[in-house]
Every structure is written in C-alpha cells, then in structure tokens.
Amino acid sequence: MFTLTYEFKLKPTSSQVAVFENWLEQCRRVYNYALAERKDWFKSRSCQINACSLRSEYIIPAEKPRPTYASQCKGLTQARATIPALFAVQVHVLQQTLKRLEQAFVSMWEQNHGFPRFKKTGTMRSFVFPQMGINPIKDGAIKLPKIGWVKFRQSREIPDGATLKQVRIVRRASGYYAMLTLQWDVRVPDVMPHGEAIGIDVGISHFAAVSNGKLFPNPRPFRKLERKLKLLQRSVSRKLLRSNNRKKAQVRVSKFHEQIANTRKNYYWLLAHNLCDWAGMIFVEDLSLKGLARGFLGKHCLDAGWGQFFQVLEQCCLKRGVFFLRVDSKKTSQICPNCLTQTGKKELSERVHSCLHCGYTTDRDVAAAQVVLVRGLAAVGHTVKMLSEGKAVALPVTKESSCL
Ligand SMILES: [Zn+2]
C-alpha cells in the first residue's frame, strides 16, 4: 500500500471562493478557541501551589482533565448546535483542525517545537476533507462535501486503481489548489539495499555534500531571487499604511514568495534525480535528532530547506527503486570516516578534515557524508572499508561496525 499526493489548481466561481474564505475563517476561530482552552489549562497549572501568579489567570479546578482532541471534539459538537456559522462548515473539516492543533502540541512535546500560537486573520491557509463521497472526480471537476462541484485544471491524469483518501484545499497567492492524497492497495515490494551506496550530509556552507566527494553549493538563483524579494518588500514598506497600493505591493511579494518556493522545490527534484542516477542506496542524516542537537538557530535552518529536500529525495527514491534510509546524525563531523576514531569538535571555519590517527584528509563536509555512509551501511548489515578516494566498499559485518 502506498500513497502519492497530486496537486491541481482549482477554478472556483466567485461564490465558491467566498465559501472557501468563510470556511478558512471558521477553522481559524475553532483553532484559536481550542488553543485558548488548552493554554488556559496549562497556565492554571504552571503556577506553584504556594505562590500566586503576578498576572491574572483563570482558575481551573484541579480535577478538570487536560483538554484533549476527544474532549474538544465533544465541545465542538455542542458549539455547532448553537452557532449557525459553525454548522455551515462540514464537521470533519473542523475536527481535522482540532487534530492539527493536537499535532502541534505533540511536536512541541516530542520534537522540542515551540508552544503553538494563535493564528491571525488570514493566516489559516488550508483545510482538509478527510473523507470523500463516491466518484468525487468527473470531467475536470471535483465534488467537495457540502460545497459541491468545483472545477479544476486537470494537468495530469489520475491513474486507475487509486482511491482518493483525502483532499486538502490550500490557498496560495496565485489561487486555490486541491491536494489529492491517492492510495493504492497494492503491495509494493520493499526495496532491498543494492548497488553503489552514497551518504549525504547537509550543512550551512554547502547545500549538500556527497560521500563520493561531490559538493552541491547553495544554488545561486536563490540568492538572485532573494535580492529581488528584498526590493519588493522595500516597495511595500514605502507605501502608505492601509492603502490600496500597499495591498497590491503585498500581493506581489506573496506571489514572489510562491515563485521562490516553486523554484526551490524544482531544484530539489533535479538534485534528487541526479543522486538516484548514481546510487542504489542513499543514506541521509535524521534531522529530527540533529535539530535537537544543534540548538535554536540550527533547528530553524534545518527546518527550512533540508527537511523538505529529504522528503523529496525519499519520494524520488521510492519512484526510482532506490533504497533510502535515515541514520543517526550525532557527531558526524567529529568522527574520522577512515579509521572511525573521534577527532574532536571542529570549528565552523575549519574546512578540512585531517585525521591525526590515520592521516586521512578530505573536505570536512565530505567526511561527514562518509560517516553517514558508514553508519548507513552498518545499519543494513554491511561494514565498510573506506578508500582514500572516498569510494565505499561493502564488506561482511564484523565486530567493529557495531560500535558506531
Ligand atoms: Zn582517521
């Protein structure tokens, strides 16, 4: 069983746009209400028992349980009975909004993300239909529950044998899009580790370094685009506050943001296909662990681009039949890939890895990528002997590989 997401641009009528806007707003309100409920509960518990909070907080009885997804869904049902605006929105869509809030709390607890924030007007950009009716797609139109048939630009065929699992409606600067999650109930044979292996390290100075010695720089076009973005943003700040011209300039900025995002994603796909051309197995760092290790700034850098790149790479590997694995990313820059001794922490300015133990010398990022490769090969049951050109040779498992 596997899933793919297809994205289509919707062609809604103006009344349908009004409905989308209204639904997004209702979702935002539900989200904010539910967040306030959770936040009040946490605040009422955060004060020590013998001290009084300096700011006034709601006092919530001690026996009241923490608001959960289930309890908030119950509250939603009651609210829908009395508020007609909420009743106009499909209940599953609103429940998905609550689930999204729950997810935000889970990633706070588990991945060290920040406390979820309230959403300002217009910042809720998507909602989800978790279930669709029977035969929801016909002749370039999709039937959305409670909204009806909405036309879309069918830029590609939807393959036979797929079932439509969910639909996410997304608002972007250039219009509305539907992201269709399609599922196939066929068993896909797991890709076995085979062929040439490469490890990939991502970093600040290079976009990606590959264990065979190739370095991918941060692509230049982005810098050019970012310069233009700055100009556009400046033109916004020069316009009179709350004027129509300012609004127009703001729209230009948002459209340009979208263009940058598309360019970036395109580059990720090109790079991913390029990597798949070389290799039968690809190992990357597990960023969810690295994010914690690198502290505040590092985490945001990582979240921005590389996480998405790895997602694209994973999908590309699935399509191309390449084995893909995320491995532990701890201390990749502190180990010598040749003799596996700890070489100690490197300063960011130290660009070359030079091992005192065995004399192995290579680029610092390439060395990190080679450590990723060694770990990956160990994880799939190979051990590795590194040659000085950086080519990895898979050998049968020995005791040494278990220490990694
Ligand atoms: Zn060494």
Side-chain angles (χ1 to χ4, degrees):
M1 189 171 74
F2 73 107
T3 55
L4 279 178
T5 306
Y6 279 23
E7 195 176 310
F8 297 107
K9 183 160 190 193
L10 291 172
K11 295 191 282 188
T13 61
S14 52
S15 60
Q16 283 169 339
V17 168
V19 173
F20 286 157
E21 284 301 312
N22 179 39
W23 282 37
L24 285 171
E25 176 61 14
Q26 296 307 328
C27 286
R28 186 182 77 92
R29 289 184 185 180
V30 165
Y31 186 92
N32 281 351
Y33 184 90
L35 174 56
E37 205 175 66
R38 281 170 180 248
K39 207 168 177 175
D40 287 342
W41 189 90
F42 277 100
K43 283 238 178 110
S44 72
R45 300 290 183 274
S46 63
C47 184
Q48 279 177 342
I49 200 146
N50 58 350
C52 199
S53 173
L54 284 176
R55 275 175 293 162
S56 57
E57 310 283 6
Y58 289 111
I59 297 168
I60 294 173
E63 69 275 10
K64 190 161 188 278
R66 181 174 65 79
T68 57
Y69 171 65
S71 78
Q72 292 192 318
C73 275
K74 245 182 223 168
L76 177 69
T77 316
Q78 287 162 7
R80 265 167 60 87
T82 52
I83 305 168
L86 275 184
F87 194 74
V89 185
Q90 202 209 14
V91 65
H92 298 298
V93 170
L94 294 172
Q95 283 171 353
Q96 287 298 307
T97 310
L98 292 177
K99 198 167 245 173
R100 191 165 154 189
L101 178 67
E102 169 80 14
Q103 192 51 50
F105 273 88
V106 169
S107 39
M108 176 182 76
W109 292 320
E110 288 177 1
Q111 280 173 291
N112 214 7
H113 286 190
F115 200 94
R117 293 189 213 173
F118 291 110
K119 289 196 180 291
K120 288 183 195 163
T121 330
T123 50
M124 187 64 103
R125 292 192 191 88
S126 74
F127 57 85
V128 185
F129 292 101
Q131 288 153 18
M132 298 298 284
I134 304 153
N135 290 330
I137 294 168
K138 207 169 69 187
D139 310 325
I142 181 164
K143 193 177 187 188
L144 301 175
K146 244 183 170 172
I147 293 180
W149 291 97
V150 182
K151 285 187 184 169
F152 65 94
R153 203 174 74 83
Q154 192 154 8
S155 45
R156 63 203 293 193
E157 284 301 309
I158 295 166
D160 292 331
T163 44
L164 187 54
K165 275 293 153 192
Q166 66 168 42
V167 175
R168 178 180 286 276
I169 307 294
V170 186
R171 184 184 61 200
R172 301 225 174 93
S174 59
Y176 291 87
Y177 292 81
M179 293 166 88
L180 315 184
T181 307
L182 299 167
Q183 197 176 66
W184 282 263
D185 285 329
V186 284
R187 269 209 61 78
V188 188
D190 288 334
V191 182
M192 295 308 287
H194 65 281
E196 181 129 4
I198 53 174
I200 296 167
D201 173 76
V202 288
I204 312 237
S205 53
H206 290 101
F207 181 77
V210 184
S211 55
N212 60 8
K214 200 156 167 57
L215 294 169
F216 289 96
N218 273 315
R220 277 192 100 79
F222 295 168
R223 276 184 239 159
K224 230 185 207 168
L225 291 174
E226 266 151 27
R227 215 172 303 145
K228 193 181 166 194
L229 179 66
K230 225 171 210 175
L231 284 175
L232 283 174
Q233 280 168 336
R234 203 175 303 157
S235 90
V236 171
S237 58
R238 286 212 187 106
K239 303 280 187 300
L240 202 65
L241 215 63
R242 283 186 284 277
S243 67
N244 269 332
N245 278 336
R246 195 187 173 101
K247 267 182 214 154
K248 280 183 211 159
Q250 192 62 58
V251 168
R252 277 197 290 275
V253 168
S254 336
K255 281 194 174 161
F256 197 68
H257 268 299
E258 201 182 322
Q259 193 189 327
I260 292 178
N262 289 342
T263 315
R264 178 163 282 155
K265 202 157 189 189
N266 187 33
Y267 174 72
Y268 293 161
W269 274 104
L270 285 174
L271 191 55
H273 273 294
N274 195 341
L275 292 169
C276 285
D277 286 342
W278 297 345
M281 35 183 161
I282 294 181
F283 302 110
V284 300
E285 305 158 272
D286 193 343
L287 292 181
S288 60
L289 297 166
K290 193 161 186 168
L292 289 172
R294 277 207 179 165
F296 183 72
L297 187 78
K299 193 184 79 181
H300 282 261
C301 289
L302 291 168
D303 282 351
W306 296 306
Q308 197 192 9
F309 171 57
F310 286 166
Q311 271 175 19
V312 166
L313 186 60
E314 189 169 9
Q315 274 182 39
C316 191
C317 287
L318 185 79
K319 273 187 178 174
R320 301 270 307 257
V322 173
F323 182 78
F324 179 89
L325 188 72
R326 291 167 201 265
V327 298
D328 183 10
S329 61
K330 282 192 201 94
K331 294 185 181 174
T332 45
S333 62
Q334 300 177 25
I335 293 170
C336 171
N338 196 38
C339 61
L340 308 178
T341 46
Q342 292 230 5
T343 52
K345 208 168 180 161
K346 291 189 190 69
E347 291 298 317
L348 209 64
S349 57
E350 225 176 298
R351 297 310 317 156
V352 175
H353 165 84
S354 171
C355 180
L356 297 171
H357 194 72
C358 67
Y360 182 66
T361 308
T362 184
D363 183 271
R364 162 221 175 101
D365 291 338
V366 172
Q370 287 169 350
V371 175
V372 170
L373 172 63
V374 172
R375 284 184 184 166
L377 286 172
V380 296
H382 292 297
T383 183
V384 73
K385 199 177 141 226
M386 196 66 67
L387 304 175
S388 26
E389 309 95 72
K391 271 195 182 160
V393 182
L395 299 169
V397 195
T398 59
K399 256 187 187 169
E400 280 166 5
S401 62
S402 57
C403 69
L404 269 169

